[in-house]
Amino acid sequence: MASGQYRVGFDIGGTFTDAVLTDVKSGAVWTAKVLTTVEPEEGAIASVAAALEKAGADMADLEALVHGTTLVSNALIARHGAVVGLLTTEGFTDVLEIGRELRYNTYDNSAPFPEPLVSRPLRRGVRERILVDGTEYQELDEEQVRRVLREWKDAGVKAVAVAYLHSYRNAKHEQRTQDLVWEVLGAQFPVSISSEVAAEFREYERTSTTAINAYVQPLVAEYQEALVAGLQELGNRAPLYVMLSSGGVATTDVTSRFPVRLVESGPAAGALAAAYYGRMLGERNLISFDVGGTTAKACLIKDFTPLRRNQFEVARMSRFMQHSGIPVRSPSIDMLEIGAGGGSIAAVDKLGLLKVGPESAEANPGPACYGRGGTDPTVTDAHLLLGYLSEDSFAGGSIRLDKGAASAAMGALAEKLRVGVLEAAWGVYQIATENMAAAVRVHLAEKGQDPRNCSLFAFGGGGPLHATQVAQKLRIGKVICPSRAGVMSAVGLLMAPPAFDFAKTYISKLGSVDWAEVDRMYDEMQREGEQMLVAAGVPAERMEFVRSADMRFVGQMHEITVPIAGSDLGAEAERGVYDAFTKRYGELYGGEERSDPAEVLTWRLLARGAETQEAALQVGSSAEDGADPVIGRREVYFGGNSRFTAAVYDRYRLRPGFSAQGPALVEENETTLVIGPDDSFEVDRFGNVVVTVRRAEGG
Amino acid sequence: MSQQQKIDPITLEIVWRRFTSIVDEAEAVIAHTSFSSTVGEASDFSAVILDAKGRLFAQTASSALGGFVGVLPRAARTVLEIFRDRPLKPGDVVVTNDPWICAGHLPDMMMLRPIFYGSRVVGYAANIAHLSDVGGRVSAEATDVFQEGLQIPPSFLYQEDRLNHDVMNFIKRNSRTPKQIEGDIQAQVAACRAAEQRSLEALQEYRLTDLEDFSDAIQSRTEAAMRSAIREIPDGDYKGEVWSDGIDESLRISVNIQVRGDEILVDYTGTSAQVNRGINCPFNLTYAETVYPLLCAIVPNLPVAEGSLVPIKVTAPLGTVVNPRYPAPVMIRVAVIHNAHAAIFRALSGLVPKYIAPTAIAAHSGGVWAFRFAGTYREVPSAYKGAGLPQESEQYMQMYLFNGGVGASGGSDGATAKSVPANVGNVPIEVMEARCPILFERKELIPDSCGVGEYRGGLGQRVVIRNLADEPIEFIPGAGDRIKNKPFGLAGGGEGSRGGIYIDGTPVHPRKTHILQPNHVVEVCVPGGGGFGRPEDRDALRLAEDERLGYVTRRSAPQP
């Protein structure tokens, strides 16, 4: 272990690479922003070096580095992964292509589906069979495996994936196949076996996850090696961790074995940062709300912990359509993606109604007001026309907005709607906001959470522009706009504990569970977890093992994840497991109390390093002394017949304790916070702006 | 905002959108708590909000089954007519599974709950879902509807939020899975309650006293959009037909689409007479299966409300297989009616590309296939040397669903193994094998099963399944058609392959229950989709790619 006193988190985005450095003893924070480079590791290293320089430290002073990356999801979207050979049980080579057979748009006869990651000639069946209870029904035909592998040697296959039926119950054949791959193709050859990558039932999802793992494995290994080597060259001796989709971090040894766990590495960090702020502010239930150019992202943080899901989709053909992408069976932060952002285009549909998004003007040509040739009216154009944004303070003044262009684009729309330009802009803003609120409302309902018991945590370029209106629609009373919002993701990286999730399917009905078998499974998962945590430098006394189980009533198809007792599982604990299940079921779905038999499908273990008692991050902004925070006044519109004059505040001049009444605008480099005429705000001791939103009647 | 005489298009969008999202929430409740595999894995359900007149106001774009368009509002209006003298009170829930009122067979159960705002009905929350079991025969072998299970005429399941235990007990007593059906019904009731609660919140928030003006505005806009789309199509009679395998004799489905100005009448005269086995389709579902392909062809992606349906009329002579007289058997009604969309696309195919977009219609598809395994599991079969299946000493009746290749459109190849015209997913093999003592030996695409053409059909698939039990089990074919009558192509495209069911390699009757002896094997082949356009016009690169992928091994027509 390195003995330095600094931790650094760095996050590679499409345009910028951000780094946040903290002194773990004092909590002091430095940030750096550099342009993302073609070889991403170069920009990453430059951002770390820049942050170190600001702190007057160097590489040797680092204790740890934590990295968030969109490398894997980008490789899947752009399809530039490795040539993969897939071995399946004979007769099932097409499972990967057939999928679940659902259409994602029943009104479109020609909606395309994603091409399988492994094309048909490279999917080969092997004689072998395990039954549902783990019985070996047919032995593995090792010669057949060797023959296929020898063929692949010359066919340019760069990684092998193996997914046999019921391997989650008995991994013997897959493990033997893995040995054969190394025997025939070399000891270092990348191979992914489904019983290790995603040991859960449902063959399509498991095969898909394993294929993704193999597809990105060579790419991730190469990238991580270059990054580690580059850092070493500059004198780094501290360990490098990478952010997983689940919100934990792992060493590069682990992530090069399981790169599929990195699919949501980038977005996870933002939710973790929100959770950190929640703990800092004592906000138990938060909705993190991040609005960018094309999408809004929301995540429920319940009891200070971001909610997670066990499966999601990547590389969708149609971005917001379920079943149009490739399923990933691995835990991730449960992030809701909504097709509404600053670039969302407004148009009149065939019914003469106003629609906003999901089509987006993206960064190019961008909203009409960018003056880059865009002629469609967008949400950002509405912000400008409503007075929420100004022509000369957007993005810290770096992009001048063209009100004339916005007005022309919105004017054409207003004409079709037969309303004034301002009413049209208000309509666009309202509909974008309603779309965001509606999606969050449904998402929370599915989690059994009442939005009225949450606060809204808004960041990103567009979050603060919509937050108070979204809050009002959801009857949320408080909006928090964090300081240092621009580097939220990198802040999240600093907060993430080393953690890894394990899962194993063993389907059994409560009442006839073989608990000795369950104990064996947990022992095995825990042993592996311990090894990973030791490798990540977690001392034994800080290791935590959290158990949960996917359960349902016998006969149901949809399972829910339920926390179960930490140890001493056994027949006598069954009542507790059942009660935990019915309690969670009631929270989620309400309804009458039930006493039906229940079954457990998948047993889960989260191994993590408990939080360290480090000094709180000093994320607060340091306001300039004495300067008047009001830097101007603008006319703003909030619908109806009245117009308001809002005071414009410079976020960097607001001192803790400051408070004021709406209407108001708080400008900072990345965004503007809109505060309505009935709302008020204050600045807390950390520099966060906290808005009290007038709740709608009946709340 | 205050309620105005004339509602602006912005406010209308906001309110309509909100009610659509309420339906989303209601559907999530059903999806997550249902015990039915067709609901849980195959999404065989739909929810709506109706206005005070029983007109369709809000449904979701994603999950509402295309084939259920208009079923719920029509059913709700029938029920309200029946209850004319006993007006619904707050907290009432009416249940029915009458195939002639509702969705065409007994497992499809409807719940209807009035939404009261103060003392007035402002709308209705309704949903329909395919439940686990309502007794009776689950195959096409019944000779009347009485053999197909419990018939529930519209009845009060709840009165003023109090459960009518007698009704619930009747239903449970007539189900092979009483606990599950109770859970299913509770899921549907909970969805109605959620929809009502959320609707009231929305009315309050927008300060509305009712939905009437909003619904009127939506209905008139959707109707106007539909009429203007129909007006684009030249007046005329467009005829199409398709043959279903029937029971022993093939049955004809004949449509005549009469376009007159801004209205369409679809008439089924010439369609075969009803049969005395359970493949007849009551008219309410025929109506939906007719309107759905018309919407796809004429106004794809137009949001649907009652107004969209007003300019379309559908008629079918009483006593035909698409409008059978009570008490015809109807259990596997999709075997026949899932061909209707193909007849309609065929009738409209001459209008491509001038009046209908080439990608908006498609050749015939392999379709949705289903079968069940039933048996008793007394002890662990000897094949299992470990713990065996999780279910012990239980009767099982497990449904399997999967899908054929999709017909090509006039601008794209048909998708491989996708669900048309319904949208039901497959059940994972690893779930099937955990629920009954069977062994899947194969589930794979069938090369050369796609119809050739400038655009080829999607590939069909086969499953091969062995009985692992030590005793015989029942194999019960369900939905599935096109064994004798292959999926046709359009505009010169070739036919998809035929389907088939074989036991130990010998073809067996596709509508009868068979006994599968221990260690014997059943194979089910689902057809590929038909092609579109002449095969000689196919791009050479695409053809080479088809060969490289092994989709096509011969350049001639598909397998006999």
Side-chain angles (χ1 to χ4, degrees):
Chain A
M1 284 304 293
S3 55
Q5 59 173 17
Y6 297 95
R7 255 178 113 88
V8 66
F10 57 100
D11 179 50
I12 304 178
T15 316
F16 294 110
T17 298
D18 290 306
V20 175
L21 180 76
T22 181
D23 178 334
V24 295
K25 296 207 174 71
S26 71
V29 168
W30 297 267
T31 63
K33 192 182 266 296
V34 303
L35 282 171
T36 296
T37 49
V38 179
E39 298 297 333
E41 64 272 13
E42 289 169 15
I45 293 166
S47 74
V48 172
L52 282 165
E53 199 184 314
K54 282 193 186 172
D58 62 40
M59 285 282 181
D61 299 323
L62 286 178
E63 176 209 58
L65 301 93
V66 188
H67 178 26
T69 174
T70 51
L71 182 73
V72 171
S73 54
N74 288 346
L76 289 162
I77 291 165
R79 287 302 177 100
H80 60 247
V83 176
V84 175
L86 170 67
L87 293 171
T88 72
T89 305
E90 191 172 74
F92 301 94
T93 53
D94 289 325
V95 162
L96 186 71
E97 182 162 348
I98 293 170
R100 291 302 290 275
E101 304 178 24
L102 285 164
R103 292 182 293 156
Y104 59 90
N105 181 352
T106 51
Y107 283 93
D108 183 351
N109 283 311
S110 53
F113 291 86
E115 292 287 320
L117 286 179
V118 186
S119 83
R120 208 151 178 264
L122 289 176
R123 304 195 302 255
R124 301 289 289 272
V126 169
R127 276 184 293 279
E128 71 80 38
R129 190 64 147 91
I130 301 290
L131 299 183
V132 64
D133 66 338
T135 301
E136 183 183 61
Y137 182 77
Q138 184 173 11
E139 278 181 33
L140 177 70
D141 185 340
E142 300 192 1
E143 252 330 289
Q144 193 191 10
V145 174
R146 284 197 187 88
R147 262 199 314 278
V148 173
L149 293 173
R150 280 195 291 266
E151 258 179 61
W152 282 354
K153 207 171 183 174
D154 306 321
V157 167
K158 294 285 186 263
V160 171
V162 187
Y164 298 151
L165 288 175
H166 299 301
S167 62
Y168 56 86
R169 277 302 288 146
N170 180 346
K172 198 175 96 172
H173 290 176
E174 287 192 353
Q175 285 162 353
R176 180 63 193 142
T177 304
Q178 175 165 258
D179 290 340
L180 292 172
V181 172
W182 289 333
E183 178 196 304
V184 176
L185 298 172
Q188 300 294 314
F189 200 87
V191 49
S192 304
I193 62 174
S194 80
S195 48
E196 267 186 20
V197 174
E200 298 186 43
F201 77 124
R202 292 192 175 109
E203 64 279 358
Y204 169 58
E205 288 78 359
R206 188 173 70 256
T207 307
S208 161
T209 307
T210 310
I212 293 172
N213 201 66
Y215 186 72
V216 297
Q217 206 167 17
L219 189 82
V220 167
E222 194 182 314
Y223 166 70
Q224 290 186 160
E225 273 163 34
L227 184 57
V228 169
L231 288 165
Q232 247 164 18
E233 222 165 87
L234 295 179
N236 175 54
R237 262 165 292 285
L240 171 67
Y241 301 98
V242 187
M243 185 80 177
L244 308 176
S245 314
S246 60
V249 298
T251 60
T252 50
D253 285 344
V254 174
T255 52
S256 50
R257 273 176 72 200
F258 302 112
V260 69
R261 302 282 181 111
L262 301 179
V263 173
E264 294 269 86
S265 169
L272 277 191
Y276 177 74
Y277 277 82
R279 280 195 298 275
M280 192 166 81
L281 303 173
E283 292 283 341
R284 181 169 283 280
N285 300 316
L286 272 185
I287 300 164
S288 94
F289 178 64
D290 171 11
V291 181
T294 305
T295 61
K297 292 193 176 82
C299 176
L300 173 61
I301 292 152
K302 194 176 162 68
D303 296 330
F304 305 119
T305 313
L307 285 199
R308 309 196 313 160
R309 58 190 169 190
N310 296 322
Q311 187 176 312
F312 58 98
E313 280 183 357
V314 66
R316 284 182 170 166
M317 302 300 287
S318 181
R319 192 157 179 181
F320 306 100
M321 296 280 228
Q322 213 195 340
H323 305 302
S324 74
I326 306 173
V328 184
R329 188 77 189 167
S330 94
S332 87
I333 299 285
D334 195 348
M335 192 76 71
L336 170 70
E337 221 187 24
I338 307 155
S344 294
I345 294 171
V348 174
D349 76 357
K350 286 181 195 155
L351 297 181
L353 300 180
L354 178 57
K355 297 276 171 190
V356 180
E359 294 75 20
S360 165
E362 314 269 340
N364 232 320
C369 61
Y370 280 21
R372 293 187 198 142
T375 53
D376 291 322
T378 66
V379 174
T380 299
D381 295 309
H383 294 148
L384 179 61
L385 294 169
L386 294 170
Y388 305 161
L389 293 176
S390 83
E391 293 183 278
D392 41 33
S393 60
F394 185 67
S398 65
I399 300 174
R400 222 196 118 71
L401 300 183
D402 181 346
K403 206 166 192 165
S407 192
M410 197 64 71
L413 184 75
E415 218 166 284
K416 283 187 213 163
L417 294 167
R418 290 181 200 160
V419 297
V421 174
L422 205 53
E423 286 86 68
W426 174 246
V428 171
Y429 176 74
Q430 279 285 293
I431 288 171
T433 307
E434 180 70 39
N435 291 353
M436 295 167 187
V440 171
R441 193 184 288 116
V442 174
H443 185 70
L444 262 62
E446 287 178 11
K447 313 291 164 203
Q449 179 73 39
D450 187 337
R452 287 173 296 188
N453 303 329
C454 299
S455 295
L456 195 66
F457 186 79
F459 59 102
L465 281 161
H466 290 271
T468 53
Q469 284 284 320
V470 167
Q472 204 179 62
K473 286 179 188 296
L474 296 173
R475 302 186 192 188
I476 289 172
K478 193 197 277 182
V479 170
I480 300 160
C481 208
S483 58
R484 303 241 185 201
V487 288
M488 282 289 293
S489 287
V491 168
L493 294 173
L494 294 176
M495 306 332 306
F500 201 79
D501 291 270
F502 299 87
K504 231 169 156 29
T505 292
Y506 160 47
I507 304 174
S508 50
K509 190 151 80 172
L510 282 188
S512 57
V513 178
D514 177 353
W515 290 102
E517 171 69 11
V518 173
D519 282 343
R520 249 193 322 277
M521 280 173 7
Y522 270 121
D523 284 349
E524 196 187 309
M525 292 192 272
Q526 185 154 338
R527 242 192 335 271
E528 213 179 321
E530 275 166 7
Q531 282 169 10
M532 284 186 182
L533 292 178
V534 167
V538 178
E541 69 273 13
R542 283 207 353 249
M543 291 183 186
E544 277 183 358
F545 299 94
V546 184
R547 296 179 180 195
S548 57
D550 292 357
M551 298 184 67
R552 62 189 180 194
F553 288 117
V554 173
Q556 281 185 323
M557 285 290 173
H558 180 86
E559 59 262 22
I560 60 175
T561 303
V562 177
I564 57 175
S567 58
D568 292 329
L569 281 178
E572 66 278 10
E574 271 193 26
R575 189 71 226 172
V577 173
Y578 185 81
D579 290 347
F581 167 65
T582 50
K583 177 165 172 278
R584 182 72 189 127
Y585 193 90
E587 284 168 7
L588 285 175
Y589 309 122
E592 273 118 270
E593 212 169 290
R594 312 180 55 88
S595 57
D596 310 48
E599 61 184 351
V600 182
L601 298 119
T602 297
W603 307 79
R604 300 182 178 278
L605 178 76
L606 167 63
R608 73 171 171 218
E611 242 171 88
T612 50
Q613 291 301 312
E614 290 178 78
L617 286 187
Q618 292 174 6
V619 287
S621 51
S622 48
E624 298 155 41
D625 239 358
D628 183 354
V630 178
I631 52 169
R633 291 182 193 283
R634 273 211 298 275
E635 189 166 279
V636 289
Y637 185 66
F638 291 104
N641 296 323
S642 0
R643 299 192 186 190
F644 296 89
T645 302
V648 182
Y649 295 88
D650 178 348
R651 171 91 190 238
Y652 307 105
R653 292 183 185 177
L654 290 178
R655 295 168 60 84
F658 181 86
S659 68
Q661 198 60 40
L665 302 166
V666 179
E667 289 187 348
E668 56 188 302
N669 288 340
E670 297 87 3
T671 184
T672 299
L673 171 62
V674 176
I675 296 152
D678 298 320
D679 307 335
S680 60
F681 73 97
E682 60 177 337
V683 181
D684 72 9
R685 64 197 170 97
F686 304 102
N688 304 307
V689 178
V690 180
V691 185
T692 304
V693 181
R694 190 186 63 91
R695 298 199 193 210
E697 278 164 39
Chain B
M1 74 192 71
S2 67
Q3 208 149 346
Q4 304 157 348
Q5 277 305 87
K6 189 172 178 332
I7 298 155
D8 70 83
I10 298 166
T11 310
L12 188 54
E13 164 67 11
I14 289 173
V15 171
W16 198 28
R17 182 97 195 184
R18 174 65 171 275
F19 278 86
T20 307
S21 106
I22 291 171
V23 179
D24 253 326
E25 217 180 293
E27 288 186 340
V29 171
I30 299 175
H32 291 164
T33 58
S34 171
F35 282 77
S36 156
S37 59
T38 48
V39 168
E41 296 280 355
S43 314
D44 195 356
F45 65 95
S46 181
V48 295
I49 291 175
L50 309 174
D51 70 10
K53 294 175 184 147
R55 296 178 300 178
L56 177 60
F57 181 59
Q59 67 171 21
T60 63
S62 53
S63 50
L65 275 180
F68 276 0
V69 181
V71 165
L72 275 162
R74 290 167 65 92
R77 290 194 292 266
T78 309
V79 168
L80 292 174
E81 180 60 28
I82 291 169
F83 280 77
R84 200 182 32 212
D85 301 330
R86 290 180 288 165
L88 302 188
K89 297 198 180 84
D92 287 353
V93 176
V94 176
V95 61
T96 179
N97 69 343
D98 184 321
W100 277 263
I101 292 176
C102 230
H105 70 169
L106 296 171
D108 279 344
M109 192 91 76
M110 178 177 87
M111 303 288 156
L112 177 73
R113 180 181 171 105
I115 301 172
F116 270 87
Y117 194 36
S119 56
R120 284 175 62 206
V121 175
V122 293
Y124 296 90
N127 60 63
I128 201 161
H130 184 126
L131 301 195
S132 15
D133 185 83
V134 289
R137 297 194 83 141
V138 298
S139 70
E141 291 161 288
T143 54
D144 63 33
V145 73
F146 297 99
Q147 296 166 34
E148 294 183 331
L150 177 68
Q151 299 180 56
I152 309 163
S155 310
F156 282 115
L157 180 65
Y158 280 81
Q159 281 180 297
E160 297 176 71
D161 272 323
R162 273 194 316 277
L163 175 66
N164 188 339
H165 288 279
D166 294 338
V167 170
M168 183 66 101
N169 286 338
F170 262 109
I171 296 173
K172 285 172 71 178
R173 183 65 186 195
N174 282 281
S175 170
R176 293 181 184 89
T177 54
K179 286 215 145 193
Q180 297 186 6
I181 202 164
E182 186 176 21
D184 288 341
I185 289 173
Q186 281 170 357
Q188 286 185 271
V189 171
C192 283
R193 282 207 187 108
E196 181 189 27
Q197 180 58 33
R198 296 298 188 188
S199 298
L200 296 182
E201 285 170 16
L203 288 168
Q204 242 172 30
E205 189 180 322
Y206 298 121
R207 301 189 195 164
L208 305 174
T209 49
D210 57 52
L211 286 174
E212 225 176 303
D213 294 348
F214 282 87
S215 188
D216 284 347
I218 287 297
Q219 308 313 348
S220 63
R221 278 171 189 265
T222 49
E223 183 175 341
M226 194 68 206
R227 286 190 187 279
S228 93
I230 296 172
R231 224 176 285 123
E232 298 296 308
I233 301 169
D235 280 8
D237 287 13
Y238 303 96
K239 293 176 182 173
E241 68 169 35
V242 58
W243 290 81
S244 161
D245 294 347
I247 299 293
D248 293 308
E249 314 253 303
S250 292
L251 303 174
R252 181 166 62 196
I253 297 170
S254 184
V255 295
N256 182 6
I257 303 171
Q258 300 168 24
V259 179
R260 301 286 185 271
D262 59 4
E263 296 197 343
I264 288 180
L265 169 68
V266 183
D267 180 49
Y268 279 92
T269 300
T271 297
S272 300
Q274 71 183 74
V275 295
N276 66 345
R277 291 289 184 280
I279 57 172
N280 303 292
C281 183
F283 183 73
N284 215 20
L285 189 64
T286 297
Y287 172 84
E289 295 283 349
T290 307
V291 170
Y292 166 58
L294 281 174
L295 294 176
C296 288
I298 300 172
V299 285
N301 297 318
L302 183 80
V304 174
E306 195 75 36
S308 333
L309 310 178
V310 170
I312 303 176
K313 296 214 163 26
V314 182
T315 54
L318 193 62
T320 55
V321 71
V322 296
N323 188 11
R325 288 192 175 85
Y326 181 84
V330 295
M331 179 66 195
I332 314 293
R333 85 278 193 228
V334 297
V336 169
I337 205 64
H338 272 181
N339 290 293
H341 74 283
I344 287 164
F345 284 155
R346 185 180 241 173
L348 297 175
S349 61
L351 294 168
V352 171
K354 197 159 175 211
Y355 300 104
I356 287 177
T359 51
I361 66 167
H364 205 0
S365 297
V368 180
W369 283 53
F371 53 81
R372 289 178 168 83
F373 289 106
T376 310
Y377 184 57
R378 294 201 182 79
E379 49 192 289
V380 177
S382 47
Y384 300 89
K385 309 229 171 4
L389 279 61
Q391 283 94 336
E392 286 162 54
S393 310
E394 267 190 29
Q395 280 203 320
Y396 56 83
M397 163 90 82
Q398 180 62 35
M399 168 129 83
Y400 187 69
L401 285 153
F402 68 143
N403 299 279
V406 178
S409 82
S412 61
D413 289 345
T416 289
K418 292 282 176 296
S419 189
V420 171
N423 199 23
V424 294
N426 58 22
V427 183
I429 295 165
E430 290 172 346
V431 170
M432 286 299 291
E433 292 189 357
R435 293 194 164 189
C436 42
I438 53 166
L439 178 82
F440 278 71
E441 296 192 332
R442 297 193 163 269
K443 181 183 202 288
E444 62 188 6
L445 299 177
I446 306 174
D448 299 315
S449 57
C450 46
V452 295
E454 181 182 357
Y455 298 98
R456 63 161 174 77
L459 268 70
Q461 55 173 327
R462 72 158 64 88
V463 293
V464 178
I465 300 168
R466 183 177 296 272
N467 176 6
L468 271 198
D470 296 321
E471 46 201 302
I473 58 181
E474 274 185 292
F475 170 80
I476 310 164
D481 197 45
R482 277 145 267 172
I483 293 175
K484 282 185 293 197
N485 300 279
K486 297 192 262 184
F488 59 76
L490 286 178
E495 294 177 320
S497 62
R498 67 176 79 254
I501 303 177
Y502 310 87
I503 289 181
D504 300 324
T506 307
V508 297
H509 199 289
R511 307 266 183 245
K512 289 184 177 157
T513 299
H514 302 280
I515 301 298
L516 192 63
Q517 295 297 335
N519 223 23
H520 286 235
V521 169
V522 60
E523 174 177 350
V524 182
C525 296
V526 186
F532 199 111
R534 300 180 313 162
E536 52 271 35
D537 292 338
R538 185 157 182 78
D539 183 277
L541 287 174
R542 282 169 181 266
L543 189 55
E545 181 67 0
D546 288 344
E547 286 174 334
R548 188 183 74 80
L549 297 175
Y551 293 158
V552 173
T553 61
R554 305 169 289 119
R555 294 197 173 207
S556 56
Q559 286 177 339

